Amino acid sequence: MSSTAGQVIKCKAAVAWEAGKPLVIEEVEVAPPQKMEVRLKILFTSLCHTDVYFWEAKAQDSVFPRILGHEAAGIVESIGEGVTELAPGDHVLPVFTGECGDCAHCKSEESNMCSLLRINTDRGVMINDKKPRFSINGKPIYHFVGTSTFSEYTVVHAGCVAKINPLAPLDKVCVLSCGISTGLGATLNVAKPKKGSSVAIFGLGAVGLAAAEGARLAGASRVIGVDLNPSRFEEAKRFGVTEFVNPKDHNKPVQEVIAEMTDGGVDRSVECTGNVDAMISAFECVHDGWGVAVLVGVPHKDAIFKTPPMNFLNERTLKGTFFGNYKPRSDLPSVVEMYMNKELEVEKFITHEVPFAEINKAFELMLKGEGLRCIIRME
């Protein structure tokens, strides 16, 4: 057991005190893990758009003060009662959703949407006792999606922790705990393009480029990138994108443009923007008879998807996916192995790196739309 096991740890964390205000590096107290929890030493974390979205808190109620962060890698420091599959020293990826192993979803081969541990953006406390494990001078600091990785130590439910190959470089594979796996899995696990097929990717941010990487790995011969920002097109070539369409360059719906380019439509499409019009275009651009469209982006809660029902009757399929259909504990270790076996190229997603003290710089880069993933070094 580590010398700190069972004790409160004092460490640095980047606290979001209020919406849209720069994070403040504070000394926080991190309580020991309770039943079915583990305390992790976070070594590397990265910034995902979801962190920025809930930090800005423009579209939803956010809990403050809280510690954001959910894309990360670290080492188990200590374990709570009942934890049997993890031990101090294990190399792990904490994940914003979980796998309890006991619910109907976890027992289903088709679902990764664990009833107990699926993402909950409103909950700022641990499931076990409905209290946070973070505090400053006795005042509670709230959690974010069960991970709160913008802290040198954090407490996570054991079902939200994937044990990975100890040889994997944590400063690289940390990005696999959210966005990259979401896009990659949407293509490989849900769209499942055949070798030689055509795939359209809507939105060429990190998730969309990961979806394109999935199409490249699957052997797609045409990967059409769709984005309103032409500056993304050159970079996207490195991820297997072969052609580009900017909807602003055309005076007709982009689905018609793609249908003309592909003799009736693409075999598969993956939508990664969350814009409902892009979702409709992604569905309507697939070929009748066999086309499959997969929705990844999260829309506004009031958005309505409208399309003529004949599109379905003409044998087009529409699917949704959550976290690329990966079960966090069961499946993420194999995604790490794809990187270790040099099948999956993770480095090209990492465009910036900053020390923990400069975490606000990562937010500035994302708000400017610069780069894909910024790694934050905790030490």
Side-chain angles (χ1 to χ4, degrees):
M1 295 290 280
S2 67
S3 58
T4 47
Q7 299 175 30
V8 170
I9 289 179
K10 288 188 174 182
C11 70
K12 290 192 177 75
V15 177
W17 286 102
E18 52 184 307
K21 295 282 166 61
L23 306 188
V24 182
I25 304 286
E26 306 274 12
E27 184 179 77
V28 299
E29 283 129 29
V30 186
Q34 296 196 12
K35 187 176 181 180
M36 293 312 294
E37 296 172 0
V38 293
R39 189 160 57 184
L40 309 179
K41 179 178 173 63
I42 298 294
L43 296 179
F44 299 94
T45 185
S46 53
L47 183 64
C48 167
H49 192 264
T50 307
D51 297 306
V52 176
Y53 183 78
F54 283 90
W55 167 73
E56 289 181 313
K58 287 176 183 170
Q60 75 296 312
D61 297 326
S62 237
V63 187
F64 293 99
R66 83 194 306 184
I67 296 170
L68 297 165
H70 65 282
E71 220 177 59
I75 295 173
V76 175
E77 174 269 337
S78 60
I79 60 173
E81 178 196 338
V83 177
T84 56
E85 296 184 15
L86 294 162
D90 284 348
H91 287 219
V92 296
L93 302 180
V95 189
F96 63 91
T97 187
E99 184 183 348
C100 73
D102 295 323
C103 70
H105 285 277
C106 287
K107 287 178 175 173
S108 159
E109 290 181 8
E110 297 177 48
S111 176
N112 65 341
M113 299 187 72
C114 176
S115 301
L116 180 69
L117 300 171
R118 82 171 64 167
I119 185 170
N120 183 329
T121 56
D122 299 325
R123 187 173 59 230
V125 295
M126 299 303 288
I127 291 173
N128 187 44
D129 62 354
K130 309 292 187 282
K131 291 177 184 170
R133 299 288 172 264
F134 299 108
S135 60
I136 296 179
N137 299 325
K139 290 191 176 155
I141 305 293
Y142 295 101
H143 296 249
F144 176 63
V145 297
T147 50
S148 293
T149 60
F150 296 165
S151 174
E152 292 175 325
Y153 287 87
T154 188
V155 176
V156 181
H157 192 286
C160 299
V161 178
K163 180 180 173 180
I164 62 165
N165 184 339
L167 299 177
L170 297 180
D171 60 330
K172 304 293 189 290
V173 298
C174 63
V175 299
L176 296 176
S177 67
C178 177
I180 309 309
S181 296
T182 295
L184 184 75
T187 303
L188 293 179
N189 299 337
V190 189
K192 298 180 180 173
K194 294 185 171 74
K195 195 169 181 178
S197 62
S198 57
V199 181
I201 308 288
F202 285 73
L204 298 175
V207 175
L209 292 174
E213 179 81 351
R216 181 184 74 77
L217 289 172
S221 59
R222 294 180 75 181
V223 182
I224 301 168
V226 183
D227 203 288
L228 297 170
N229 181 355
S231 68
R232 288 178 161 176
F233 291 171
E234 196 56 42
E235 179 177 50
K237 290 177 184 173
R238 295 168 55 215
F239 297 83
V241 177
T242 57
E243 300 157 71
F244 304 97
V245 177
N246 184 341
K248 289 195 283 196
D249 293 344
H250 302 274
N251 55 9
K252 58 180 149 187
V254 70
Q255 53 266 50
E256 292 180 22
V257 176
I258 292 171
E260 287 174 11
M261 290 169 66
T262 54
D263 193 22
V266 287
D267 301 311
R268 301 287 185 266
S269 72
V270 185
E271 197 291 321
C272 303
T273 72
N275 177 294
V276 72
D277 294 322
M279 292 179 168
I280 294 165
S281 297
F283 175 54
E284 295 182 352
C285 81
V286 299
H287 206 289
D288 60 1
W290 62 79
V292 178
V294 178
L295 305 185
V296 180
V298 180
H300 188 276
K301 66 182 188 333
D302 299 326
I304 302 291
F305 186 101
K306 290 182 180 173
T307 191
M310 281 306 297
N311 284 326
F312 294 98
L313 296 176
N314 287 333
E315 299 181 359
R316 291 179 182 87
T317 300
L318 180 64
K319 292 185 172 187
T321 177
F322 168 68
F323 191 48
N325 274 44
Y326 287 119
K327 291 180 186 275
R329 292 191 303 148
S330 303
D331 298 335
L332 270 192
S334 63
V335 180
V336 171
E337 291 310 308
M338 285 172 69
Y339 167 71
M340 296 298 281
N341 296 335
K342 299 193 165 45
E343 297 163 51
L344 172 63
E345 297 167 16
V346 168
E347 283 85 354
K348 59 192 177 187
F349 289 97
I350 299 167
T351 51
H352 297 84
E353 191 174 307
V354 296
F356 189 37
E358 295 172 29
I359 189 170
N360 288 303
K361 195 179 277 182
F363 278 76
E364 289 163 22
L365 288 165
M366 187 158 276
L367 290 169
K368 284 187 204 156
E370 288 180 23
L372 294 172
R373 278 295 184 264
C374 179
I375 301 293
I376 299 152
R377 292 191 312 280
M378 301 306 282
E379 293 179 334

